[in-house]
Amino acid sequence: MTLAMLVLPLLGAAAAAFAPGRLAVAGALASALATFGVAAFLSGAGAVSVAWLPALGIDVTLDPFGVRGVLATTAALTMIPVVLTAGRQAPAQRRTYLTALLLMHATLNGVFLATDLVLMYVFWEATLLPSLFLLGTFGGPGRRGAVTKYLVYAITGSFLMLASILALVPASGAASYAFADLLPAARALDPVVQTWLFAGFAAAFAVKLPLFPLHAWLIDFHRQNPPSGVADVAGTLYKVGGFGFFAWAIPLLPDGAAAFQPFLLALAAATALWGGLAATRQEDLKSMLAYMSLSHMGVVALGVFSLTPVGLTGAMFLLAAQMLSTGALFLLAGMLHARTGQYGFAHYGGLAKSAPALAAVTLFALFAAIGVPGLSNFPGEFLALAGGFAASPWLGGVAALGSVVAAGVYGVNTYQRLFQGPPGERRADLGPAEILVVAPLIAGILWLGLAPAPQLERIDASAAVATTLAAPPPTPLALQGDAR
């Protein structure tokens, strides 16, 4: 079942690339639905381990335990509307979209599920290719600059992470790159060595998070992506930096994490505040969503760098919830663009009169994004901020200004500028196909908002590994459970 999380998207990508006509769309959709069906039962699935390069201590090991399964399940749910929307592209673009998206989904699942550090790095790099291909092929007039900027940031960070990975085993004396082998050996390293190695991991994870001032690629990435919103949603799935800190850098190198904590907490608070304030000043919908997403990632970072159980659990829950709420908003932005050919707020206003269902669904997604209780983002945002306040009340307060106060301002302003005011030109309301597209995301937002406890419990089990910072290296017997 765990291996199917990689195999099914790859089969779907093959179907999209080679099956004739509508069979390509049917195959891709069947793959997305089947992957979600498997993901729904991941909590009871076991680990998979296959020898790959035994002489180097590198294996194909996948494990859906804890947060890994939660993020893979949420990503699988988000991929269903993405595939539905991509299947409605023009025939000349449809195959490319679907193939790239499903390849991205397979590699993303690999990042989440891999418990071998080298294998995780391979999947980390592989996720770059599909999104850059979509942006470079179908993006806006400034796509070349956006691709170049993203490549520079991503490759620089990846190079430094690779250097840390290559140094970790010889420095620690670990038997392999498996998490269970690395954990006791890496924790026993000298604090100075841990700090240097942590810096290499942090360079890569902070770019993907993204963390201020390494966020500039994100804004251009969204602005230049194709207008349907499909690539933007796939981009939101991309934010694996927070997961990297949580699952790898902090558990393996706790002394390094502790050394960087004050600096990273300050950057997290600045990211949350700067993203929130910038979102209130944007004049087009896609830019507003880009800065809103940046502010959310600041809160995720605050929870992660709080190094507290509650903050780490909240951060990972918010990461999963943000896939659904921001994904829904990017797809709705694509639907609005399909009606007007514009993202600028100046071209909208009064749409609630002619498109009440579109207005209602957009308001629902905005409520989820700004953390209204009962919807997906609230539990994670509340817990991440609580962790941030526990670590630093002042920085927690700064982040709350961006995530709560500014979010209320840009959320209300966005709805008013799109849907309220004097009625303008009539626009079509949501059609049956569009309702089918957003329905999985609405269901997911309610699922995480109304019944968060099961997923929080799964994440708590993973957070226990990352928060034993002051504890002595665990025994081999305990490690078997931690590594799951």
Side-chain angles (χ1 to χ4, degrees):
M1 187 177 289
T2 304
L3 192 59
M5 294 298 291
L6 299 184
V7 173
L8 288 172
L10 291 176
L11 290 176
F18 301 112
R22 290 283 178 183
L23 282 178
V25 180
L29 181 58
S31 162
L33 291 171
T35 306
F36 177 66
V38 170
F41 296 96
L42 272 182
S43 59
V48 174
S49 182
V50 179
W52 183 21
L53 299 170
L56 298 177
I58 303 170
D59 294 321
V60 176
T61 55
L62 306 169
D63 194 339
F65 179 73
V67 68
R68 299 173 182 278
V70 173
L71 292 175
T73 302
T74 313
L77 176 60
T78 309
M79 192 55 64
I80 295 171
V82 168
V83 169
L84 284 170
T85 305
R88 300 175 65 198
Q89 301 293 317
Q93 302 176 350
R94 190 182 299 149
R95 286 178 182 278
T96 306
Y97 263 86
L98 290 170
T99 304
L101 290 170
L102 289 164
L103 287 175
M104 189 183 304
H105 190 196
T107 54
L108 183 72
N109 283 343
V111 173
F112 288 146
L113 300 176
T115 54
D116 183 285
L117 185 54
V118 174
L119 183 67
M120 185 280 292
Y121 178 79
V122 170
F123 283 124
W124 178 278
E125 291 301 294
T127 55
L128 266 176
L129 302 177
S131 63
L132 287 175
F133 180 75
L134 284 177
L135 174 60
T137 305
F138 301 111
R143 62 184 181 277
R144 291 186 179 178
V147 167
T148 302
K149 184 180 289 185
Y150 185 34
L151 273 176
V152 169
Y153 277 90
I155 290 176
T156 303
S158 294
F159 172 77
L160 294 173
M161 179 167 68
L162 179 60
S164 287
I165 290 173
L166 292 174
L168 188 55
V169 164
S172 65
S176 74
Y177 288 93
F179 183 77
D181 288 334
L182 286 172
L183 191 62
R187 285 187 177 190
L189 282 169
D190 182 85
V192 175
V193 177
Q194 284 199 35
T195 301
W196 280 104
L197 293 175
F198 185 88
F201 284 102
F205 296 152
V207 166
K208 288 288 183 70
L209 194 60
L211 199 64
F212 180 90
L214 303 176
H215 68 285
W217 66 269
L218 176 73
I219 309 305
D220 286 345
F221 181 88
H222 285 308
R223 281 175 176 162
Q224 296 300 325
N225 256 332
S228 68
V230 166
D232 296 296
V233 179
T236 66
L237 303 181
Y238 234 124
K239 292 166 185 161
V240 290
F243 170 76
F245 277 111
F246 178 94
W248 292 99
I250 292 175
L252 293 181
L253 305 164
D255 289 329
F260 276 95
Q261 186 191 23
F263 177 65
L264 292 174
L265 270 177
L267 291 183
T271 303
L273 181 62
W274 165 249
L277 293 177
T280 65
R281 299 170 57 85
Q282 300 308 305
E283 292 298 322
D284 73 79
L285 180 55
K286 214 168 185 182
S287 295
M288 192 285 293
L289 293 179
Y291 280 105
M292 178 195 75
S293 179
L294 179 66
S295 181
H296 290 163
M297 289 304 102
V299 179
V300 168
L302 189 81
V304 168
F305 302 136
S306 73
L307 304 182
T308 62
V310 66
L312 285 158
T313 298
M316 292 301 102
F317 190 92
L318 181 57
L319 204 60
Q322 203 258 0
M323 292 186 198
L324 302 173
S325 59
T326 306
L329 286 170
F330 272 118
L331 288 179
L332 289 164
M335 293 174 188
L336 284 164
H337 187 275
R339 286 160 169 78
T340 65
Q342 304 289 338
Y343 284 116
F345 288 125
H347 299 277
Y348 292 94
L351 288 183
K353 297 288 185 182
S354 56
L358 180 59
V361 172
T362 303
L363 183 62
F364 177 84
L366 280 170
F367 277 169
I370 64 176
V372 170
L375 302 178
S376 58
N377 285 30
F378 175 74
E381 189 169 306
F382 183 85
L383 293 174
L385 286 172
F389 271 99
S392 171
W394 283 102
L395 294 175
V398 170
L401 282 175
S403 64
V404 179
V405 179
V409 174
Y410 64 68
V412 170
N413 281 347
T414 298
Y415 183 79
Q416 285 182 332
R417 298 176 79 177
L418 290 173
F419 296 105
Q420 293 188 326
E425 186 177 347
R426 291 187 64 81
R427 303 294 181 185
D429 205 357
L430 286 180
E434 292 172 321
I435 293 174
L436 185 64
V437 165
V438 296
L441 295 172
I442 293 173
I445 288 169
L446 291 172
W447 165 53
L448 289 183
L450 297 176
Q455 310 313 317
L456 287 171
E457 289 173 2
R458 292 171 71 184
I459 296 172
D460 273 340
S462 298
V465 179
T467 51
T468 54
L469 301 179
T475 65
L477 183 61
L479 275 177
Q480 293 178 14
D482 289 345
R484 281 184 52 75

